[in-house]
Amino acid sequence: MLDNISNKQNSLRRIRELKQLFPQTKNITQQAYNALTPRLKRLICFHAGLQQRHVVMEYEELLVNERKAVIRAMSEIQAMGTLLPSRMMLTDSCIE
């Protein structure tokens, strides 16, 4: 029993040491999503098939499957952005 406790304490100590060596930082997707305006979050959540309540949530509050849906939606919107013309004007809507 004492051996198990000692092993556990050694393991926890080693984990603390490793955490100090590799400080945890936010991931890029988390930083990008949390910085979005509510309007853009609404667009991402809609495209990801999430509900209105997700718009007010931070990335870290989402469930894993919701995060994956957000990542897919952001990737698809990013890919779509490369296909759009670099310059659009409101007059483009007029037929001449």
Side-chain angles (χ1 to χ4, degrees), residues 20-74:
Q20 289 175 348
L21 289 175
F22 304 101
Q24 193 175 28
T25 58
K26 290 182 179 180
N27 66 43
I28 295 169
T29 306
Q30 179 181 10
Q31 290 175 338
Y33 183 81
N34 289 344
L36 292 175
T37 64
R39 182 180 175 139
L40 290 176
K41 278 188 181 181
R42 194 173 305 114
L43 173 70
I44 301 269
C45 289
F46 174 79
H47 190 70
L50 302 178
Q51 299 174 352
Q52 179 65 31
R53 65 184 172 88
H54 294 98
V55 174
V56 296
M57 297 171 79
E58 294 292 312
Y59 183 81
E60 53 273 15
E61 296 174 302
L62 299 172
L63 300 175
V64 173
N65 62 327
E66 295 165 344
R67 290 179 189 182
K68 288 180 180 179
V70 163
I71 292 169
R72 280 192 301 273
M74 290 175 79

Side-chain angles (χ1 to χ4, degrees), residues 1-17:
M1 174 100 168
L2 290 176
D3 196 33
N4 285 344
I5 293 172
S6 178
N7 284 341
K8 186 174 182 179
Q9 288 174 338
N10 287 337
S11 296
L12 291 173
R13 181 181 50 76
R14 184 66 182 141
I15 289 171
R16 279 193 300 274
E17 290 171 0

